[in-house]
Amino acid sequence: MRIVVTGGVGFIGYHATRALLARGDDVLVIDDFSDAPYPAASKRRNERDLVAESSRVRIAKACVTDREAIVPLVAGADAVLHLAGLAGVRPSFADPARYARVNVEGTAVVQEAAREHGVARFVFASSSSIYGNATPLPAREEAAAVVPESPYAASKRSAELVASALCRRTPAMRCAALRFFTVYGPRQRPEMAISLFARAAVHARPITVFGDGTMRRDFTCVDDIVRGILAALDRAPPGFRVYNLGSGAPVELRQLVRMIAAAAGVDPVIELAPVPLGDVDATFADVSRAREELGWTPRVPLRDGLQQVLAWVRSAPD
């Protein structure tokens, strides 16, 4: 297939693009190479590595809110994988309007471009953040999810609602929203917990933990997330459908620190800090819908995934 991947030089986008190329698809990556929420240098590195690895990838610089640029780029695609957007709970409080513009308007622009060109499959990134603290755990897709804890979470839930409404115009389109649960792996965003903890452990620095260490996160390896993305592209039914992609095995932050320290062979020095605004108490995915409808289950144990991260941290510049 010919697949358009927005955000294809970001963390998840890079891994998804590599997987699509590996199975024989042609990929057009659309990315604006912005420095939000982390420096663009890592995206440039991902671009160089993708181009060096395959002649079947093309990369176009454009912002997903720029309709005049996006519409012609989507022409001829068999599927659109929309991963572009502004990530991060904490920075969303500093610029909520930008998060709404990029995550909601950008999703609408890309989805409408797909509709105009008769693209049959539209898969896009949502987030476990939409569940907030009010959703009973493990979180199921049919939960109301109407009490977001951050502008980021609100923007992702809003994007889902807009996508659902737009799907009514083209009921034959296969439109899947994937709620990613705390994705980690090589090339992860530098401000995420596992990336921060791993770098601190490898370089013998104190590890900062928010709260008392009992917050729980459903950490999910990027390899599993990519398999879920491919399954949604290939198997999602017609109409709008939401899927949780998570490990289904939440871990307390203090346990995570112990696991990383043990894998790195160090005794961790832990510094506690106040819980930032917008952070939820726990994330925990019920993945039964993805298992039943997409044939997907997580495979990578956290211990194995952490070894991948530590190997990447040791090989990459600090």
Side-chain angles (χ1 to χ4, degrees):
M1 294 193 295
R2 179 178 181 269
I3 300 181
V4 170
V5 180
T6 70
V9 295
F11 164 45
I12 298 174
Y14 167 82
H15 289 281
T17 297
R18 288 191 73 218
L20 292 167
L21 293 168
R23 74 176 195 171
D25 294 320
D26 295 321
V27 180
L28 171 63
V29 167
I30 302 174
D31 207 294
D32 68 353
F33 293 90
S34 73
D35 59 359
Y38 56 97
S42 62
K43 299 172 187 177
R44 291 294 181 189
R45 180 196 62 220
N46 291 344
E47 175 192 28
R48 289 193 300 269
D49 291 350
L50 286 171
V51 171
E53 194 171 315
S54 176
S55 61
R56 286 183 290 102
V57 62
R58 293 191 302 119
I59 298 178
K61 183 177 181 179
C63 180
V64 291
T65 58
D66 184 351
R67 187 180 185 281
E68 291 186 1
I70 295 299
V71 170
L73 288 172
V74 173
D78 298 302
V80 172
L81 173 58
H82 176 48
L83 300 177
L86 287 179
V89 166
R90 297 157 204 160
S92 71
F93 286 95
D95 198 352
R98 186 182 183 194
Y99 271 73
R101 184 167 61 252
V102 173
N103 292 349
V104 184
E105 180 184 347
T107 300
V109 166
V110 176
Q111 185 177 357
E112 275 293 272
R115 182 190 64 80
E116 289 180 26
H117 289 295
V119 178
R121 308 174 193 205
F122 180 75
V123 174
F124 70 101
S126 187
S127 170
S128 62
S129 295
I130 65 104
Y131 289 116
N133 279 321
T135 302
L137 300 179
R140 297 176 60 88
E141 292 89 346
E142 59 266 28
V146 293
V147 189
E149 299 291 332
S150 67
Y152 168 69
S155 73
K156 283 298 190 178
R157 182 65 176 128
S158 298
E160 290 183 355
L161 294 172
V162 171
S164 176
L166 290 176
C167 272
R168 293 190 176 92
R169 300 179 64 185
T170 51
M173 178 184 278
R174 299 171 183 266
C175 181
L178 306 182
R179 293 174 179 168
F180 299 150
F181 279 70
T182 319
V183 188
Y184 73 93
R187 303 182 188 238
Q188 182 182 12
R189 294 184 355 239
E191 85 281 6
M192 297 298 289
I194 286 181
S195 181
L196 287 171
F197 294 176
R199 290 186 185 278
V202 166
H203 298 289
R205 295 194 292 256
I207 296 175
T208 301
V209 174
F210 294 125
D212 61 2
T214 60
M215 284 198 302
R216 294 184 299 150
R217 291 292 180 269
D218 195 330
F219 295 105
T220 313
C221 183
V222 69
D223 294 346
D224 282 331
I225 292 294
V226 168
R227 287 193 308 101
I229 288 170
L230 299 185
L233 283 168
D234 294 341
R235 301 173 191 160
F240 179 78
R241 200 70 168 147
V242 175
Y243 296 97
N244 288 336
L245 296 184
S247 71
V251 173
E252 288 189 351
L253 293 186
R254 58 189 178 185
Q255 180 184 353
L256 174 68
V257 170
R258 289 195 294 268
M259 293 174 70
I260 291 174
V266 300
D267 293 322
V269 176
I270 298 174
E271 297 180 349
L272 300 180
V275 176
L277 183 66
D279 275 21
V280 298
D281 298 331
T283 61
F284 182 2
D286 182 321
V287 297
S288 56
R289 179 182 292 181
R291 181 176 61 249
E292 293 163 4
E293 298 184 9
L294 303 180
W296 176 90
T297 55
R299 295 177 182 171
V300 182
L302 181 57
R303 292 184 187 279
D304 293 349
L306 291 178
Q307 291 290 352
Q308 294 182 29
V309 174
L310 287 167
W312 164 250
V313 167
R314 291 186 177 110
S315 68
D318 185 22

